[in-house]
């Protein structure tokens, strides 16, 4: 997520929760920048089908290759297989372009 209050990011995360990805052996994880209270709010919104983590600062986003441009935290979706290989990645500075459901589903189907 770009922020724990980003409506577009929340919408994307809700979509992942509805995809019931654990039944496809995929565990969705949402990284929420900011204090743990932001992650707790997202956890309440999404329920237990998505793992929610907080990142105090930008460390987790940087580790995933999601940089900041000026004041905008990049957001994106990555699909990592059980061997740690990135099988799909889509990242943008604007959250409206950081999720493509059909392309993600096709990548999941190829696992």
């Amino acid at each position: 997520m770009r922020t724990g209050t980003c409506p577009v990011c929340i919408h994307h995360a809700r979509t992942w929760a509805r995809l019931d990805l654990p039944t496809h052996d995929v565990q969705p994880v949402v990284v929420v920048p900011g204090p743990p209270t932001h992650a707790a709010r997202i956890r309440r919104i999404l329920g237990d089908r998505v793992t929610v983590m907080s990142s105090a600062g930008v460390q987790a986003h940087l580790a995933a290759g999601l940089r900041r441009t000026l004041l905008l935290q990049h957001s994106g979706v990555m699909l990592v297989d059980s061997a740690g290989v990135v099988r799909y990645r889509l990242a943008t500075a604007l959250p409206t372009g950081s999720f493509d459901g059909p392309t993600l589903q096709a990548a999941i189907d190829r696992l």
Side-chain angles (χ1 to χ4, degrees):
M1 298 186 83
R2 189 174 62 84
T3 70
T5 58
C6 172
V8 174
C9 297
I10 292 169
H11 174 73
H12 292 163
R14 282 182 167 152
T15 300
W16 301 329
R18 285 192 303 270
L19 291 176
D20 200 20
L21 296 173
T23 62
H24 299 285
D25 293 325
V26 173
Q27 181 55 53
V29 176
V30 175
V31 179
V32 181
T37 54
H38 289 188
R41 177 178 174 268
I42 299 302
R43 218 175 269 115
R44 284 191 303 275
I45 291 170
L46 299 180
D48 62 354
R49 290 188 181 189
V50 176
T51 299
V52 179
M53 303 169 42
S54 68
S55 173
V58 298
Q59 295 82 4
H61 284 75
L62 287 175
L66 299 171
R67 299 178 311 275
R68 280 189 125 154
T69 302
L70 298 175
L71 297 176
L72 293 176
Q73 172 62 61
H74 287 210
S75 61
V77 174
M78 291 180 19
L79 178 63
V80 182
D81 69 14
S82 60
V85 176
V86 176
R87 299 295 179 175
Y88 171 81
R89 183 176 193 279
L90 177 62
T92 64
L94 297 176
T96 53
S98 66
F99 179 68
D100 180 344
T103 305
L104 174 61
Q105 185 63 55
I108 291 168
D109 293 344
R110 287 190 302 270
L111 287 176

